[in-house]
Amino acid sequence: MPDTIYTDRVLAALYDSLNPPGADTDFYCALAREPSRILDIGCGTGLLAVRLALQGHAVTGLDPAQAMLDIARRREGADPVSWILGDITALPPDSCFDLVLMTGHVFQVFLDSVEIEAVLSVVKTHLAPGGRLVFESRNPLARAWENWVPGRSHRTVEHPDLGTVETWHEVTDVGEGQVAFRTHTLLTVNGRIETSDSRLAFRSQAEIDALMRRAGFTEMVWQGDWDGAPYCDESPEIIVIAS
């Protein structure tokens, strides 16, 4: 099941304010230069899916969280996008895509290697000849979770409906290849604090490569940041362009 930050309607409404478009959005929007059939797995509030549709692509947005899809469907320009509630198995069996995306570190939500390998295998069956799968995963060598503490992660944003909102994280467990953390959200308008527990998988480039090959992908390009720099041990991200 998706984390509470995606299923709770109040927390889902905050997602765009806390995650505005940035270099990652521009990177994904630039991947397809010709009109393409694009699948956005874990499309969330639909920001990227709608931008791609406005560029002339035929876009399908897939997400298991109803609260997020409700926001996506209300977004200006959302009508041309095909929105699907569910996981990868909810796709029509004859679906075919030129480009499949998993953004927002969706790849890390899949904790079990068997599960993510199954997802990758299904994606492979839905790719058109020459099609690509592109996603990112935080580089475990960069140890991003060391900044997920209240003093370093505290943020304040202004929301048009909810007013001033404060958020911060605290790590609750660091295990073999996985990190658990809790997100706190303070709605200052009423003093209400919401919490959501999350757990993410941190896989090395070698582990991701092995998963990709077992799923049937043979060609991988590895980047380490949104500027196109090649992956290295110091890279903040592991960005995969696979076919």
Side-chain angles (χ1 to χ4, degrees):
M1 293 293 294
D3 297 339
T4 307
I5 53 175
Y6 308 122
T7 60
D8 181 274
R9 294 191 177 277
V10 172
L11 297 181
L14 289 168
Y15 187 87
D16 286 346
S17 295
L18 293 168
N19 300 276
D24 55 338
T25 309
D26 295 337
F27 170 84
Y28 285 109
C29 284
L31 285 171
R33 301 191 181 278
E34 300 295 330
S36 303
R37 297 162 294 178
I38 301 177
L39 170 64
D40 185 2
I41 298 176
C43 64
T45 63
L47 187 150
L48 177 62
V50 169
R51 280 188 56 170
L52 289 168
L54 291 173
Q55 291 178 195
H57 304 296
V59 183
T60 298
L62 176 70
D63 201 280
Q66 183 70 64
M68 300 292 270
L69 273 189
D70 287 346
I71 295 171
R73 289 189 174 103
R74 294 194 299 268
R75 186 180 292 279
E76 184 178 358
D79 288 348
V81 180
S82 297
W83 304 105
I84 299 178
L85 176 67
D87 59 20
I88 194 72
T89 62
L91 286 175
D94 59 348
S95 298
C96 188
F97 302 97
D98 305 298
L99 181 63
V100 176
L101 308 176
M102 286 193 287
T103 70
H105 302 104
V106 166
F107 180 81
Q108 293 183 255
V109 172
F110 299 99
L111 303 177
D112 184 82
S113 293
V114 174
E115 180 185 19
I116 187 57
E117 186 179 334
V119 170
L120 295 172
S121 297
V122 174
V123 168
K124 182 65 173 172
T125 67
H126 286 283
L127 279 178
R132 296 171 295 165
L133 165 64
V134 187
F135 64 89
E136 85 284 337
S137 185
R138 295 178 184 88
N139 182 8
L141 298 177
R143 303 178 67 84
W145 62 85
E146 293 182 349
N147 291 314
W148 298 350
V149 294
R152 296 180 183 177
S153 63
H154 185 275
R155 298 173 59 194
T156 301
V157 298
E158 296 294 329
H159 189 272
D161 299 319
L162 299 172
T164 303
V165 178
E166 298 180 37
T167 68
W168 63 94
H169 305 301
E170 61 172 326
V171 172
T172 55
D173 180 62
V174 179
E176 186 64 32
Q178 295 185 9
V179 175
F181 62 99
R182 182 169 294 130
T183 301
H184 302 267
T185 304
L186 169 62
L187 306 175
T188 58
V189 67
N190 56 15
R192 178 182 172 188
I193 296 180
E194 299 282 355
T195 62
S196 176
D197 290 304
S198 304
R199 181 176 289 272
L200 298 175
F202 280 78
R203 298 180 175 93
S204 69
Q205 188 267 347
E207 290 173 316
I208 297 173
D209 182 78
L211 286 169
M212 301 297 292
R213 294 186 185 280
R214 288 201 295 270
F217 292 90
T218 57
E219 300 292 333
M220 269 75 72
V221 175
W222 304 92
Q223 297 183 6
D225 212 338
W226 305 113
D227 58 4
Y231 170 77
C232 65
D233 288 351
E234 291 73 33
S235 298
E237 303 282 351
I238 304 174
I239 302 169
V240 190
I241 303 173
S243 57

